[in-house]
Amino acid sequence: MNIKLYLRWAFAYFLIIILLGSSMRWSFVLNILSEYRYILHTHSHIALLGWVYIGLTALLAKDFLPKTTSKTFKWIFWITQITILGMLFSFPFQGYGMYSIIFSSLFLVVSYVFSVFFILKTPKELKTKYSYKWIRLAIICMIISSIGPWALGYIMVKFGKDSPLYRGAIYFYLHFQYNGWMLSGIVGLFIRYIEQKRITFSNKTQKYSLWLFGLGIFLSLPLSWTGLVNIPLFYLIGGIGVFLQIIATVILLKEFLNHENSISNHYKGILKLISVLFFLKLGMQLLSAIPYIGQITFFNIDIVIGYLHFIFLGIISLSILYFLLIYKEIKIPNWTLCFYILLFFLTEGLIFYKGLILFAGVPLFSGYFLVLAIVSTLFLIPVSVFFLRSLKRN
């Protein structure tokens, strides 16, 4: 299936969220945004539902769906664009208002359509593969995550925005999006790449890793609520869930290392970096199972933002770029990728620095917000190159 058209839209959304993100950074320096929260809502929705969702579904279509389904997939794609563009042009002007809620609700419905379409149209011979089983887990998590947005309307009317249930529904959605849909989808795509290279991973290994990781996703959910419900059992259950995910990841990594020489050396450095970031993410999540740390991080907005950006700009975005590069769907200069990675580490360092400094009660260094705004804006350089290169035919 030719996914180049879909990728152009995905990279366009990537560029838009960088513009929105940098404008929010500059608002702390120049006070240029009158409705900061509206732009924040736009930024988060286009990031998850534009760049990541379109990028992942395009890769899933390429790897799993036969060419005969391309026409139907194209219809689903264009209807999805209408909902995303509707959010893009409504959230900045009204935040959570009538039109933005309508378009975001329609997006959820279309995502259900894609899920059913994907499961029904994936060839039977692929459904026996563990790559498909990982993707099926990812899709299940994506569907479960939508319970959060659907519940928000009722919670707002019944209990109000200040209710712990309101934040609980948002964190429920983010948990199953980041830890379920996105990460499981990335692993599934990697397993599919391994299968296409005719490299055989042990069925026993894959079975254990899949079940342990899937169980870990559900058990680690309470860690997203520790600041709302301070129950010791939540920390224990959540910690066990993350520990199971670590075991599952170690099992897969060990199997990968046994076949490392059989995998192309092209872009292997990116894959190693993604693996390191993956373990660091699990490590941070495991630390939040310690009650004292869990309480501190939950209420420290900079730590939360840094953690979410760590997954989004690091693990997820680099993984999508990795798959596009190894499949030769896009060609980008090495310097842009290196520059992107450098900026990622610089922004993460600055965001986590602020969270730790404010916790310690120490003033930020002079010009902090200006430096963060400049570094965030520099992301426009590599992402613009990504977008322009996506317009070219290889």
Side-chain angles (χ1 to χ4, degrees):
M1 183 178 292
N2 190 337
I3 64 171
K4 287 183 173 55
L5 171 64
Y6 314 131
L7 294 178
R8 291 167 188 168
W9 279 82
F11 279 113
Y13 291 131
F14 198 5
L15 186 58
I16 289 170
I17 62 175
I18 296 299
L19 286 167
L20 293 171
S22 59
S23 69
M24 288 190 290
R25 300 294 186 205
W26 281 105
S27 70
F28 286 96
V29 180
L30 304 174
N31 193 27
I32 58 176
L33 296 179
S34 59
E35 295 293 350
Y36 180 90
R37 186 170 293 275
Y38 291 179
I39 301 301
L40 176 62
H41 292 325
T42 311
H43 174 75
S44 59
H45 280 77
I46 302 305
L48 298 183
L49 310 182
W51 160 237
V52 175
Y53 180 85
I54 298 302
L56 285 181
T57 53
L59 286 167
L60 292 182
K62 172 184 174 56
D63 278 353
F64 291 91
L65 296 180
K67 291 182 179 180
T68 53
T69 63
S70 60
K71 187 175 181 179
T72 305
F73 179 79
K74 185 177 290 187
W75 273 104
I76 296 174
F77 170 82
W78 285 117
I79 295 173
T80 303
Q81 300 322 300
I82 293 173
T83 65
I84 297 174
L85 290 173
M87 287 183 276
L88 178 61
F89 291 106
S90 57
F91 270 113
F93 304 103
Q94 61 175 195
Y96 277 105
M98 181 180 71
Y99 294 109
S100 59
I101 291 174
I102 288 174
F103 283 115
S104 55
S105 299
L106 287 174
F107 175 89
L108 293 177
V109 174
V110 179
S111 70
Y112 297 157
V113 174
F114 167 78
S115 301
V116 174
F117 171 74
F118 179 84
I119 291 173
L120 291 178
K121 296 301 181 180
T122 298
K124 290 183 179 179
E125 60 270 19
L126 288 181
K127 290 184 177 180
T128 62
K129 305 288 186 181
Y130 272 95
S131 59
Y132 171 79
K133 295 176 182 179
W134 275 94
I135 299 304
R136 184 176 58 190
L137 170 64
I139 288 176
I140 289 172
C141 288
M142 180 179 68
I143 294 172
I144 291 175
S145 74
S146 66
I147 295 174
W150 288 126
L152 281 178
Y154 175 79
I155 293 171
M156 288 173 63
V157 173
K158 190 73 176 179
F159 304 100
K161 284 187 176 182
D162 296 327
S163 167
L165 289 174
Y166 183 84
R167 292 186 69 183
I170 293 175
Y171 286 134
F172 178 94
Y173 171 75
L174 292 175
H175 173 79
F176 281 104
Q177 277 282 312
Y178 278 88
N179 300 308
W181 155 238
M182 295 181 191
L183 293 184
S184 298
I186 291 299
V187 175
L189 287 168
F190 176 71
I191 298 295
R192 182 61 191 143
Y193 171 67
I194 294 297
E195 292 168 352
Q196 291 172 332
K197 299 285 287 184
R198 301 193 182 280
I199 299 171
T200 304
F201 278 12
S202 164
N203 284 335
K204 186 177 180 180
T205 295
Q206 296 199 70
K207 179 181 178 181
Y208 285 153
S209 62
L210 174 62
W211 279 98
L212 288 172
F213 197 90
L215 182 60
I217 292 171
F218 289 89
L219 290 180
S220 60
L221 172 62
L223 294 181
S224 299
W225 292 336
T226 52
L228 302 174
V229 184
N230 191 16
I231 301 175
L233 184 60
F234 271 31
Y235 293 96
L236 178 61
I237 295 173
I240 292 173
V242 178
F243 188 67
L244 292 179
Q245 288 182 298
I246 292 174
I247 295 174
T249 308
V250 169
I251 291 173
L252 272 181
L253 181 62
K254 184 179 179 180
E255 190 75 18
F256 166 74
L257 292 175
N258 291 334
H259 300 84
E260 184 179 5
N261 293 331
S262 302
I263 300 174
S264 172
N265 287 320
H266 291 301
Y267 309 110
K268 192 175 287 186
I270 305 175
L271 185 59
K272 290 180 178 179
L273 175 59
I274 293 169
S275 301
V276 171
L277 295 178
F278 205 108
F279 275 105
L280 286 175
K281 177 265 179 194
L282 292 173
M284 287 189 285
Q285 200 176 2
L286 187 61
L287 282 175
S288 69
I290 301 172
Y292 177 71
I293 297 177
Q295 287 290 312
I296 292 173
T297 54
F298 185 89
F299 293 104
N300 190 317
I301 188 63
D302 295 288
I303 297 295
V304 174
I305 291 174
Y307 175 74
L308 293 177
H309 280 70
F310 184 87
I311 301 173
F312 173 77
L313 288 174
I315 300 172
I316 306 302
S317 295
L318 282 176
S319 295
I320 293 175
L321 287 170
Y322 170 75
F323 289 119
L324 297 179
L325 288 169
I326 61 175
Y327 286 133
K328 298 181 180 179
E329 293 292 344
I330 187 174
K331 293 181 180 180
I332 56 177
N334 288 334
W335 70 266
T336 56
L337 196 57
C338 294
F339 192 35
Y340 175 90
I341 293 171
L342 173 63
L343 294 174
F344 162 71
F345 281 112
L346 286 175
T347 52
E348 284 300 298
L350 288 168
I351 294 171
F352 279 115
Y353 158 81
K354 183 187 174 189
L356 295 173
I357 285 295
L358 294 181
F359 169 72
V362 180
L364 295 168
F365 68 81
S366 178
Y368 168 82
F369 291 105
L370 176 61
V371 172
L372 181 59
I374 292 172
V375 175
S376 299
T377 305
L378 288 175
F379 266 113
L380 290 172
I381 297 174
V383 177
S384 294
V385 175
F386 299 161
F387 171 66
L388 293 173
R389 287 302 180 99
S390 72
L391 299 178
K392 292 186 177 181
R393 294 184 177 182
N394 293 341

